[in-house]
């Protein structure tokens, strides 16, 4: 694409990127043998650390029974362990297993590496512009619809 991109070009590219990311997420879920909600949950646990089933469910917009079923599926698949809280034995945290961490690295590494290289190629000023644009686009995306 030329350096004289129009706003229409940017919107089209953003839409194409989001569509491609959605398709890639579906491929990753299939490769890991999990559903899309399970993949979102694993991603959340890997990025933000352990969480109880209900807390994780709330973050993902799930009901309590759905969150319990999610935790059961992830545990059966060997992706998480249920660990009791040392201070409050009633609390349980879902913790990604080493298997889940290794699988995430195996599947995501080849996909993330080239993006990291691309970001590293950007001069600091362009990096600031891209980061500001993406931050504002994310804010717009997360606004409640009218």
């Amino acid at each position: 694409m030329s350096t004289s991109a129009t706003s229409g070009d940017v919107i089209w590219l953003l839409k194409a990127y989001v569509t491609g990311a959605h398709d890639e997420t579906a491929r990753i879920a299939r490769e890991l043998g999990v559903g899309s909600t399970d993949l979102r949950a694993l991603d959340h646990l890997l990025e933000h650390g352990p969480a109880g089933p209900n807390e994780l469910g709330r973050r993902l917009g799930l009901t309590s029974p759905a969150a319990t079923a999610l935790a059961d599926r992830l545990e059966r698949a060997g992706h998480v362990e249920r660990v009791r809280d040392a201070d409050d034995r009633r609390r349980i945290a879902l913790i990604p297993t080493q298997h889940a961490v290794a699988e995430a690295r195996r599947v995501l590494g080849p996909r993330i590496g080239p993006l990291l290289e691309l970001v590293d190629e950007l001069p600091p000023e362009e990096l600031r512009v891209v980061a500001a644009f993406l931050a504002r686009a994310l804010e717009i995306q997360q606004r409640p619809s009218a």
Side-chain angles (χ1 to χ4, degrees):
M1 174 164 287
S2 73
T3 57
S4 60
T6 67
S7 60
D9 294 334
V10 171
I11 295 299
W12 184 88
L13 286 167
L14 187 58
K15 182 182 178 304
Y17 185 83
V18 168
T19 299
H22 178 74
D23 294 345
E24 182 69 1
T25 298
R27 281 191 295 275
I28 290 168
R30 281 193 305 274
E31 193 169 335
L32 292 175
V34 298
S36 61
T37 301
D38 299 28
L39 182 60
R40 284 180 50 224
L42 272 174
D43 182 54
H44 187 82
L45 292 170
L46 289 167
E47 186 170 334
H48 301 288
N54 288 331
E55 177 187 356
L56 181 61
R58 276 192 305 278
R59 292 178 185 176
L60 298 176
L62 303 176
T63 63
S64 182
T68 299
L70 168 70
D72 290 345
R73 284 192 310 273
L74 291 174
E75 186 177 38
R76 273 194 309 274
H79 294 302
V80 300
E81 295 177 300
R82 284 182 162 106
V83 177
R84 292 208 177 272
D85 187 296
D87 297 327
D88 182 351
R89 302 292 295 163
R90 294 170 297 176
R91 287 184 44 95
I92 293 178
L94 300 175
I95 299 176
T97 62
Q98 289 303 316
H99 166 76
V101 172
E103 283 294 285
R105 284 188 183 129
R106 179 186 67 78
V107 172
L108 297 176
R111 292 162 167 95
I112 291 174
L115 283 175
L116 291 173
E117 290 172 12
L118 179 62
V119 168
D120 287 344
E121 292 172 8
L122 292 174
E125 182 54 34
E126 288 182 25
L127 191 59
R128 282 191 288 278
V129 170
V130 170
F133 172 80
L134 291 173
R136 290 189 62 203
L138 185 59
E139 286 174 13
I140 291 167
Q141 181 190 56
Q142 292 176 341
R143 284 183 195 157
S145 54

